[in-house]
Amino acid sequence: MSQSFDRGTVESFGRWLEFKPGMWAWILHKLTGWILVGYLFTHIAVLSTATGVDPAAAAAGNDIYTTTLQGLEELLIVRFLEIGLLTVAVFHILNGIRLLFVDLGLGLGRQDVSFYVSLVMTALITLASLPTFLGGVL
């Protein structure tokens, strides 16, 4: 039987500093995956409630839906949330490609560097997309 010891709050918090890039890559990949799944289910729920069964009601619903979306797109907070979604999706995709190469045996010794490259590429893609996302608001 194993024994457990109370390491204390300070020591447990300090363990985060010991994590290697591979552990951070795993944590961020799982976190971004769950964020994307949550967004997907929320998106499907919102879109499914926006469509009506009656064709006449659907036509009126489409106008209301379009007007609502256009109003939301004018809000700065919505634009920043879209930038966040882009960042999450791009990192998840790039890290997934990195993991595919690692699973194929390519770059096994350079996993730290490839993780940092995926972070830098995510930042560059996000920064390059800022003018597009913030174009009509600022």
Side-chain angles (χ1 to χ4, degrees):
M1 185 185 294
S2 65
Q3 295 178 352
S4 64
F5 297 98
D6 182 19
R7 298 174 141 219
T9 306
V10 174
E11 187 178 10
S12 295
F13 181 75
R15 292 190 66 208
W16 288 92
L17 300 175
E18 299 172 8
F19 285 178
K20 304 289 184 226
M23 187 65 178
W24 285 114
W26 182 81
I27 290 171
L28 289 174
H29 195 74
K30 296 296 178 188
L31 179 67
T32 57
W34 281 110
I35 290 170
L36 290 172
V37 167
Y39 172 77
L40 178 67
F41 282 120
T42 305
H43 188 70
I44 290 172
V46 168
L47 288 181
S48 66
T49 58
T51 58
V53 178
D54 182 24
N62 287 340
D63 293 337
I64 294 171
Y65 182 71
T66 303
T67 305
T68 303
L69 282 182
Q70 288 172 346
L72 285 174
E73 286 294 322
E74 294 175 2
L75 298 174
L76 186 61
I77 186 72
V78 172
R79 297 290 179 105
F80 280 117
L81 289 172
E82 288 177 342
I83 293 167
L85 179 64
L86 172 76
T87 305
V88 165
V90 167
F91 174 77
H92 195 78
I93 291 167
L94 292 176
N95 195 49
I97 292 170
R98 183 190 73 83
L99 290 174
L100 175 68
F101 284 130
V102 168
D103 287 344
L104 293 173
L106 302 171
L108 282 173
R110 310 283 295 180
Q111 290 187 51
D112 296 356
V113 173
S114 63
F115 170 62
Y116 293 133
V117 167
S118 66
L119 285 176
V120 169
M121 286 181 60
T122 299
L124 290 175
I125 291 170
T126 301
L127 289 174
S129 301
L130 285 179
T132 303
F133 279 95
L134 299 175
V137 178
L138 294 178

